[in-house]
Amino acid sequence: MRFRKGLMALLLVCVLPFAHASTTLHGLPLLRQFGASQLPAAPTYPGMVVDRAGNLYAASGEGVMVFRSGVWALLEASGEAPVYSIMLARDGSIHVAGAGVFGRLLRQPDGTHKFVDLLPRLASAGLVQGPVEVFSLGETSRGVHAVSAGALFVLEKDGSTTRMQLPAGARTRPLVAGDEVFFRVPGQGLYRVDKAAMVLVEGMESLAKLRVPAAWPYRGGLLFAAADGFHFSDGRRVRKLDTEADAAFRLHEPYTGIALADGGFAIGSFDGTIMRFSPDLHLLDSFAACAGEMHDLVEDREGAVWISGENGIARLRWSLPWTRYGRLHGLGGRIFDSTWYDGRLWVASMGVWSAQPSAAGTPMFSLSQWPRRDLETFALEGTNAGLLIGDRYGLAVLDPGQTQPRRLLPPALGDSVSRLMPSAFDARRMFALTNTKIIVLGQHDGRWQLQAQWQIGGAALGVYEVVAGELWAGDASGGARRWRFATDSGQLLAEQPFGPKQGLPAAAGKGTRLFRSDRVLYAISGQQVHRLQGERFVAAVLPVLPGLQAPMELEGEDNAKGSFAWTPRQLWWRKPGASTFQLQQVSDSRVPGFMTVALHRDGQLRVVTRDSVLQLDPAAIESVATPPQARLDRIELQGPNHPPVLLPLLPKTTPHLPAGAGLALRFGVQSMEPEVEFRYRMPGYHDEWSPWTAGRELTYQRLPAGAYIFQLQARVLGGAPTEAMSYPLQVAPFWYQRPWVRVGFGVAGLLFVVAVVRLRTRAINAQNRLLEQKINERTAELQSANSRLSALAVTDGLTGIANRHAMEKALPRAWQRCLEQQEPLAVMMIDVDHFKQFNDTYGHHIGDLQLRRVAQTLDAQVTGAEELVARYGGEEFVLILPGCDGQMAMALGERLRSAVEQVTGAAGQRVTISVGVAVCTPVPGEDPMALVRCADLALYRGKREGRNRVEIATLDAE
């Protein structure tokens, strides 16, 4: 506990925005951090640049690192000496300076880098030979400026080198503003670099005693960021500007800064705080973005700001109109819902958490001190009549002015309220959804009261109130249902199923999900889409959602901020007045697990993900970045008779490959996102696109002769594909494949064939026909057998779900995924109680039907994309649940136990199940099957203690 408190205090220090007080609730910008363990070179990281191709180059204690196509690498061309400064020159080359290093990095046509040593030019201008350190770089139209040994060296455009001695006490880091270069001398002021000397600038004496880390051209003059705020020079004198930077810089002394593409400025401080200013110098944001000193900032082509510091590098997404509440705000574990009530943001997780706006810093969430405060909570809704709470035991409300919630229903385990849905037509009505019923709430004398309850008989997939007094939901078994109720009392009037007779067929083995957008109600089953028209459903097409991968998981929400659609992996937003949906990249490239989208009572739109709450700020200026493009980062020509040769990445003419040549390709993308997928094709060799894969390497061996065009597409994980890039190539034929050789062989062969055919035509033809017939028959038999074996390999023949072999393949994958992401992994062992007695009573045929019924019930309850239900053998089943902790697993186990009992009871042949649960966070070297054995121990403990129960065990028990 002491360690946890210390860690939380450290996180609080890392995110506290000291300089920007606010009366509204603000999240933090999306931030992806790369620690020293994730980078290819050791600290520190004093500088960064982004080249014209969108690649990031960073200086480090062991040379130059490059971040290209989402992957870090250490460049060999510049050596492994410490690099102090790195600069993108106007000609597109990259200059580096450091301990014994000064030169240019030139990217070659084949993607490699060549280092051009420039130290001889410094020596020609009088630099003393020996241990040399070049500290900093700058550039003007005159040439490249380098500081070393107390002097400024200017590499002139005409090839000469000029040396100027720095004034005594001058800082070694120049200020480059447009085409002007300045050096600050404490106690004197700023010196400007002229043609052959350095001149003290009159009128800048006010900066003599201040640290001045950055300067930029600004509104016809120069803007200086100094320790006490911003200063402006019109060329004659410098005056102090009265801005919010005065207070901000007193708390966080600036060390570096950049001008942003939107006209604003980003300033970094010694203590790791980053401050963002508008073009009018208003403070927009301020928080600690890294631990320790901040060294440099750079903006990439996608509008994100990269931050280099003493201990790592981070990428900040100010370019997106999304901020986040999560671990750094005190939230932890699985998050299910959020709402705004009584001036606070409330979050449903393991208990109910809340935070309010803080003028002193970043809001921190605290756990509500209620009875059963650690109860798993799934739904929240803030209203004028109180805060409605849906949890594992049912439904409660925190009335206005009260400190403890009251129960609206008697608490009952297994009667979890998974969703709260306000009526779209009556502000005094609320719908609460459980697995088996819909609860209707109404207000009486300003207090929420129970009005009615309806049994729904199964999982509802997509629930919408279409018109007043009418509720619709998709059915997990197929089709849809409509409930009509009294608008005054909420009592159910009629329930009607919709199926094939109403124009709504269901895909085999698929349920039906409802999705609503622009007041149109869609029904989705497999790949079939229909929409409601009057009292029938007709064939339809969904709105265009770029990159949509799982239509059966769609949900929708229309509100004043626009139209939203989402699945657990993707989120789309259509802004008010726009005609198309745009896919939102609102994560740090991890699959976020979108849960809900809601416009809260404070006017903020928030999106709940598995581990955080995202907040939309539509007023934020979203940068218009160049769309990412697929590209090749490496092309290597391989062949049996010559060493590998690198080919140009952008050839001016079609490369000609020798006969029998092969290619080794490395895929890339012009994007800073690290999680990217690729697909490719080469018409004439393989015409169809390959499946999407995260692999970046591809090898072709002994390409046939001919002309080809290799095509490549990329996409950020879950996003829309880029345009296809093309790489033409020509493969030469072998000598015996050339036309004149083929003609000669053809003539000789023809003469030979004519002679032979006359002797053995009939016999050969007969033998060939017989052989071809046997080959065709054998090929057809093998193809049929292979198809049957492939299906049988992973499917249980009796129940139709995954078999034990599929489970044994899936468990190590789930173990590795949870190990990498440090998430819990749960395994359940389920056994049908007294099944032998059931078989003896009803016979094995009825027993098989019952096993199928149990398997289908378990499969319907487990909906996660990476979760698996498998038959382990006999009447035993196994569930693999990545990302599921102990509380969640126990809750799911209870739902499974209850569902099996209800479904089999409704069929007239009630059976119960016993469930053993085991949960752990994987560690390297452990056997994943130990978790199955641990769950088995829990199962048999449950059977010994009376069956029809859920027990949990730990790996220690084994």
Side-chain angles (χ1 to χ4, degrees):
M1 181 62 71
R2 187 173 301 171
F3 171 77
R4 183 177 179 181
K5 290 182 178 178
L7 179 60
M8 188 58 66
L10 177 62
L11 294 176
L12 176 60
V13 169
C14 290
V15 301
L16 196 61
F18 303 93
H20 186 44
S22 174
T23 58
T24 59
L25 203 65
H26 289 282
L28 295 176
L30 303 183
L31 184 72
R32 182 177 180 86
Q33 295 177 320
F34 301 91
S37 62
Q38 298 169 283
L39 298 172
T44 62
Y45 310 103
M48 300 173 296
V49 294
V50 175
D51 70 2
R52 295 174 180 175
N55 305 311
L56 177 80
Y57 294 81
S60 76
E62 295 180 335
V64 177
M65 306 181 298
V66 61
F67 187 72
R68 179 173 58 191
S69 300
V71 177
W72 286 100
L74 183 65
L75 291 183
E76 298 179 357
S78 60
E80 297 183 358
V83 175
Y84 304 148
S85 182
I86 188 167
M87 181 190 74
L88 179 66
R90 298 182 182 185
D91 64 359
S93 63
I94 294 173
H95 286 64
V96 295
V101 177
F102 176 51
R104 288 192 299 167
L105 277 173
L106 300 179
R107 193 168 185 218
Q108 303 298 99
D110 59 14
T112 60
H113 292 79
K114 176 183 178 182
F115 182 74
V116 179
D117 189 7
L118 297 177
L119 282 176
R121 291 193 63 177
L122 302 189
S124 68
L127 181 65
V128 178
Q129 296 295 324
V132 175
E133 288 188 309
V134 182
F135 295 102
S136 54
L137 299 170
E139 185 184 25
T140 64
S141 59
R142 178 179 174 182
V144 174
H145 298 58
V147 177
S148 179
L152 172 67
F153 295 84
V154 182
L155 280 63
E156 309 281 355
K157 294 292 187 182
D158 61 5
S160 63
T161 303
T162 302
R163 180 180 184 275
M164 287 179 276
Q165 191 67 30
L166 294 179
R171 300 304 186 201
T172 59
R173 184 177 178 182
L175 286 174
V176 181
D179 222 30
E180 301 279 356
V181 179
F182 300 90
F183 284 90
R184 187 179 72 89
V185 179
Q188 299 183 39
L190 294 183
Y191 281 78
R192 183 177 62 245
V193 178
D194 283 349
K195 182 64 177 176
M198 298 189 187
V199 180
L200 181 64
V201 182
E202 296 181 1
M204 293 192 178
E205 293 80 5
S206 62
L207 300 178
K209 297 181 180 181
L210 299 172
R211 185 183 297 273
V212 185
W216 309 275
Y218 183 74
R219 298 184 177 180
L222 294 178
L223 180 69
F224 295 91
D228 65 343
F230 287 114
H231 295 249
F232 178 75
S233 171
D234 59 4
R236 297 184 300 275
R237 66 183 182 89
V238 174
R239 59 185 174 90
K240 172 74 168 53
L241 301 180
D242 184 14
T243 69
E244 297 167 358
D246 299 359
F249 290 177
R250 280 196 298 270
L251 291 173
H252 313 289
E253 185 176 358
Y255 181 77
T256 185
I258 58 170
L260 300 173
D262 64 2
F265 302 92
I267 307 296
S269 72
F270 279 103
D271 62 8
T273 299
I274 187 168
M275 295 161 278
R276 180 188 180 193
F277 293 86
S278 70
D280 294 328
L281 305 183
H282 293 299
L283 182 61
L284 301 176
D285 206 354
S286 173
F287 63 95
C290 63
E293 295 181 5
M294 185 182 301
H295 292 315
D296 197 13
L297 303 170
V298 68
E299 188 174 18
D300 63 28
R301 293 164 56 93
E302 296 169 289
V305 174
W306 289 81
I307 305 164
S308 67
E310 187 70 19
N311 301 309
I313 292 175
R315 185 175 186 236
L316 177 65
R317 302 300 299 275
W318 265 327
S319 56
L320 298 178
W322 296 93
T323 57
R324 167 185 287 153
Y325 304 95
R327 178 176 55 87
L328 299 181
H329 297 83
L331 293 174
R334 179 74 176 271
I335 296 176
F336 296 97
D337 200 3
S338 69
T339 193
W340 184 266
Y341 172 70
D342 194 25
R344 303 174 70 90
L345 178 61
W346 300 74
V347 172
S349 182
M350 189 58 66
V352 179
W353 299 71
S354 66
Q356 61 185 0
S358 171
T362 296
M364 297 299 294
F365 284 82
S366 60
L367 179 62
S368 299
Q369 300 301 309
W370 298 337
R372 292 181 175 174
R373 62 178 184 171
D374 59 347
L375 185 65
E376 197 170 22
T377 306
F378 302 108
L380 295 171
E381 190 65 41
T383 71
N384 290 332
L387 174 67
L388 287 165
I389 305 164
D391 56 34
R392 185 150 47 97
Y393 284 93
L395 193 60
V397 60
L398 180 66
D399 292 313
Q402 299 300 310
T403 60
Q404 298 292 327
R406 63 179 171 91
R407 283 281 165 188
L408 292 171
L409 291 171
L413 186 63
D415 205 17
S416 305
V417 171
S418 59
R419 180 181 176 187
L420 288 165
M421 187 175 76
S423 171
F425 303 96
D426 187 349
R428 297 176 301 172
R429 172 163 289 126
M430 186 75 60
F431 303 100
L433 278 66
T434 75
N435 288 333
T436 60
K437 61 186 176 182
I438 295 175
I439 303 170
V440 184
L441 304 177
Q443 292 184 27
H444 181 68
D445 294 334
R447 288 164 59 89
W448 285 107
Q449 303 291 345
L450 175 67
Q451 284 192 328
Q453 300 184 58
W454 319 328
Q455 293 295 325
I456 58 177
L461 305 181
V463 182
Y464 296 93
E465 188 181 15
V466 177
V467 297
E470 193 170 291
L471 212 61
W472 287 78
D475 195 319
S477 300
R481 291 184 177 274
R482 180 181 66 190
W483 296 273
R484 286 180 169 167
F485 58 92
T487 56
D488 53 351
S489 65
Q491 295 298 319
L492 182 64
L493 301 177
E495 176 183 358
Q496 179 181 352
F498 282 71
K501 292 183 179 180
Q502 292 78 28
L504 190 58
K510 304 288 185 180
T512 300
R513 172 174 288 277
L514 298 188
F515 165 70
R516 194 164 188 244
S517 180
D518 284 340
R519 300 183 180 180
V520 177
L521 187 66
Y522 298 91
I524 307 167
S525 182
Q527 299 299 317
Q528 303 178 38
V529 179
H530 295 78
R531 64 179 176 87
L532 181 63
Q533 183 174 299
E535 290 292 309
R536 291 187 58 81
F537 282 86
V538 298
V541 177
L542 288 171
V544 177
L545 300 171
L548 174 62
Q549 297 176 349
M552 277 291 292
E553 298 177 349
L554 266 177
E555 296 187 62
E557 164 76 12
D558 295 329
N559 53 52
K561 301 294 185 183
S563 295
F564 295 85
W566 69 94
T567 69
R569 293 174 177 266
Q570 297 173 290
L571 171 68
W572 296 265
W573 176 28
R574 186 180 63 202
K575 300 178 182 180
S579 59
T580 58
F581 283 90
Q582 299 296 323
L583 181 67
Q584 301 296 297
Q585 294 294 341
V586 297
S587 72
D588 56 2
S589 295
R590 294 178 56 200
V591 177
F594 297 111
M595 304 284 290
T596 63
V597 177
L599 181 63
H600 287 167
R601 294 167 60 84
D602 63 341
Q604 298 288 344
L605 185 130
R606 295 186 176 96
V607 179
V608 174
T609 73
R610 290 177 63 93
D611 59 1
S612 61
V613 179
L614 303 175
Q615 181 170 303
L616 172 64
D617 181 10
I621 301 175
E622 188 169 2
S623 66
V624 181
T626 303
Q629 297 293 320
R631 68 186 184 191
L632 292 172
D633 286 340
R634 182 182 178 90
I635 310 175
E636 184 178 89
L637 172 63
Q638 298 178 338
N641 301 319
H642 57 77
V645 176
L646 292 179
L647 299 179
L649 301 178
L650 297 173
K652 297 180 180 179
T653 60
T654 300
H656 285 70
L657 280 58
L663 288 177
L665 309 173
R666 180 176 176 82
F667 305 153
V669 64
Q670 191 172 304
S671 172
M672 295 296 187
E673 296 294 336
E675 296 189 18
V676 184
E677 297 176 309
F678 301 91
R679 68 175 183 176
Y680 54 88
R681 68 179 179 182
M682 190 156 64
Y685 188 76
H686 57 93
D687 297 335
E688 300 297 325
W689 286 104
S690 69
W692 288 103
T693 176
R696 297 171 179 266
E697 308 286 344
L698 174 65
T699 299
Y700 290 107
Q701 296 181 344
R702 296 181 65 87
L703 285 169
Y708 303 99
I709 298 179
F710 177 81
Q711 295 179 314
L712 178 70
Q713 279 188 313
R715 68 180 183 189
V716 176
L717 192 63
T722 64
E723 293 185 5
M725 64 80 61
S726 298
Y727 190 91
L729 53 97
Q730 178 77 45
V731 181
F734 287 99
W735 66 269
Y736 53 80
Q737 294 176 321
R738 299 185 184 278
W740 63 270
V741 176
R742 290 185 174 182
V743 170
F745 275 114
V747 172
L750 180 62
L751 294 176
F752 177 78
V753 168
V754 170
V756 172
V757 165
R758 289 182 178 179
L759 299 175
R760 304 187 58 187
T761 298
R762 294 182 180 178
I764 291 176
N765 286 343
Q767 291 176 0
N768 285 341
R769 285 193 298 270
L770 179 60
L771 180 61
E772 288 174 0
Q773 181 179 355
K774 291 181 178 181
I775 290 174
N776 290 336
E777 291 173 354
R778 183 58 178 163
T779 300
E781 292 173 358
L782 289 174
Q783 289 176 345
S784 177
N786 286 335
S787 298
R788 291 193 301 271
L789 286 173
S790 297
L792 291 174
V794 296
T795 303
D796 180 61
L798 176 62
T799 63
I801 64 174
N803 61 13
R804 181 169 179 173
H805 177 65
M807 182 278 292
E808 291 174 344
K809 293 177 64 178
L811 180 60
R813 292 197 300 269
W815 181 278
Q816 185 63 29
R817 171 192 175 280
C818 293
L819 173 65
E820 294 172 354
Q821 300 186 9
Q822 280 300 289
E823 292 183 347
L825 173 63
V827 170
M828 289 187 186
M829 288 290 293
I830 297 174
D831 184 82
V832 181
D833 296 330
H834 303 296
F835 191 71
K836 182 178 184 303
Q837 181 179 344
F838 184 95
N839 271 342
D840 293 339
T841 303
Y842 297 98
H844 288 278
H845 175 69
I846 300 300
D848 290 347
L849 292 176
Q850 188 76 315
L851 281 181
R852 283 195 289 271
R853 187 176 293 119
V854 171
Q856 292 167 3
T857 302
L858 297 178
D859 193 52
Q861 292 290 324
V862 177
T863 59
E866 298 178 354
E867 299 172 349
L868 178 72
V869 180
R871 185 184 179 198
Y872 196 68
E875 65 271 22
E876 287 188 325
F877 300 87
V878 174
L879 275 70
I880 300 175
L881 307 167
C884 185
D885 59 24
Q887 291 289 342
M888 296 163 58
M890 288 294 290
L892 177 58
E894 287 292 344
R895 293 199 298 271
L896 294 175
R897 184 193 62 76
S898 176
V900 169
E901 189 171 6
Q902 292 179 13
V903 170
T904 58
Q909 294 167 341
R910 175 182 172 275
V911 297
T912 63
I913 60 172
S914 297
V915 182
V917 179
V919 181
C920 76
T921 299
V923 295
E926 288 287 346
D927 180 12
M929 287 301 295
L931 198 58
V932 177
R933 294 191 292 272
C934 189
D936 195 53
L937 289 175
L939 170 64
Y940 278 94
R941 185 167 67 246
K943 295 177 76 67
R944 288 195 303 270
E945 294 181 7
R947 293 182 169 84
N948 192 20
R949 59 193 296 122
V950 180
E951 292 288 336
I952 189 167
T954 65
L955 284 177
D956 294 336
E958 187 186 10

